[in-house]
Amino acid sequence: MPTFHKIRFTTAEHVAVALSVSREAKLLCKKVVSFFHLLARSCDTGVRRLGVTQELLSLVTGLAHYLKLIIRICLQGSLRLEKEKDIDEGLNFLLTNINGLDDRLAHESSVDQAAEAAVYCRKKADTCPVCNEPVEDKCFKQADRIIHMQCLRCHNCGVDLSDKLPHARWAPGTRIILCSNCAAHRLVDSQGGFSEVTRLAQYVHLLKCAHARLLATLRSSGALPHTSGTLRSKYGLSTC
Ligand SMILES: [Zn+2]
Ligand SMILES: [Zn+2]
């Protein structure tokens, strides 16, 4: 862990660069998803006890490595902030934020888990409706759809809508994206409400999808009890 006296910065830009964790967050996300796949696979093959294999060891080592990197970057960033701005609240602010996770966990445990799982299990939860490919990075959101940055174009005139979000429309009847001009011209029913999803928010979303699918797989194989007797039939989780 770097010590405080070794940290030297001159501009706020350096602080911003130092706090960039997108690469580590992406790799951590991939490791967690791979870990979930390994668990699901061991369940598929009927192996109830996950043996200590080379693959598992390498995954756990990778998880620990990227977690440590992210913790280090956050601690370094808060210390740099204190040094740079000559304030003494940087570290406290970080720790208070981390403590706030308890409240979020308590809130999440109070929501309807089965309904949540059903939302994250559906293919459209991480698939772009325009190209039908998975969305793994910064993207756009409209209602419960996620759309690649490069796919946010008018289906009719081809205009790029990625920097004109208020003009983007989703036509539910034909399941296409239109610009507001073309939607008005075609007189089709259309919806707005597009917003940007940050890279980090999308990684969190992908983890929730992977987690929900893992639980569904474990439940359908009998490795985990169903939280509700009607869970599978109600939400079709076994087909996820
Ligand atoms: Zn797409
Ligand atoms: Zn158009």
Side-chain angles (χ1 to χ4, degrees):
M1 186 65 61
T3 51
F4 184 71
H5 71 273
K6 286 184 182 165
I7 297 166
R8 293 280 181 275
F9 292 92
T10 51
T11 66
E13 284 77 10
H14 281 137
V15 173
V17 169
L19 285 175
S20 169
V21 292
S22 51
R23 178 182 168 274
E24 288 76 12
K26 181 172 192 165
L27 293 169
L28 179 64
C29 174
K30 280 181 177 292
K31 290 280 175 197
V32 176
V33 171
S34 301
F35 184 58
F36 289 167
H37 285 164
L38 182 65
L39 289 176
R41 218 166 58 224
S42 71
C43 161
D44 282 347
T45 52
V47 182
R48 289 297 167 84
R49 287 189 60 201
L50 190 63
V52 183
T53 60
Q54 195 54 44
E55 189 180 5
L56 177 62
L57 272 179
S58 135
L59 268 176
V60 172
T61 310
L63 278 173
H65 174 71
Y66 290 114
L67 265 177
K68 273 194 291 187
L69 278 183
I70 290 175
I71 293 170
R72 186 172 72 185
I73 290 170
C74 292
L75 287 173
Q76 275 181 329
S78 55
L79 292 176
R80 284 164 184 173
L81 184 67
E82 293 190 358
K83 179 84 172 168
E84 189 75 8
K85 303 290 178 190
D86 198 22
I87 55 172
D88 55 6
E89 291 144 11
L91 197 52
N92 269 340
F93 183 70
L94 170 70
L95 297 177
T96 306
N97 261 300
I98 292 172
N99 274 340
L101 293 176
D102 280 346
D103 295 336
R104 283 175 55 186
L105 285 175
H107 169 73
E108 280 178 15
S109 65
S110 68
V111 300
D112 184 347
Q113 300 281 328
E116 277 249 297
V119 168
Y120 289 115
C121 263
R122 288 182 296 189
K123 188 182 175 218
K124 80 177 206 178
D126 62 353
T127 305
C128 171
V130 179
C131 65
N132 214 23
E133 294 290 329
V135 183
E136 296 182 340
D137 221 310
K138 206 152 69 169
C139 57
F140 294 108
K141 184 175 169 36
Q142 191 275 335
D144 56 355
R145 294 170 196 90
I146 47 171
I147 300 128
H148 291 117
M149 308 278 293
Q150 68 274 17
C151 290
L152 196 66
R153 295 182 164 277
C154 175
H155 183 79
N156 194 43
C157 69
V159 68
D160 178 5
L161 294 163
S162 60
D163 56 352
K164 305 178 189 73
L165 292 189
H167 295 288
R169 296 283 182 275
W170 171 256
T174 44
R175 299 185 51 77
I176 55 171
I177 290 169
L178 293 169
C179 69
S180 49
N181 282 340
C182 291
H185 185 66
R186 286 182 163 200
L187 298 173
V188 293
D189 247 0
S190 65
Q191 307 156 349
F194 286 77
S195 59
E196 198 168 333
V197 179
T198 65
R199 192 169 276 136
L200 214 51
Q202 182 59 12
Y203 297 156
V204 171
H205 179 79
L206 292 176
L207 286 178
K208 287 184 174 178
C209 292
H211 184 243
R213 286 165 187 166
L214 169 67
L215 292 184
T217 304
L218 295 179
R219 286 193 183 112
S220 67
S221 71
L224 271 184
H226 288 272
T227 51
S228 149
T230 58
L231 187 67
R232 251 202 292 180
S233 54
K234 188 174 175 186
Y235 297 107
L237 291 183
S238 61
T239 57
C240 290

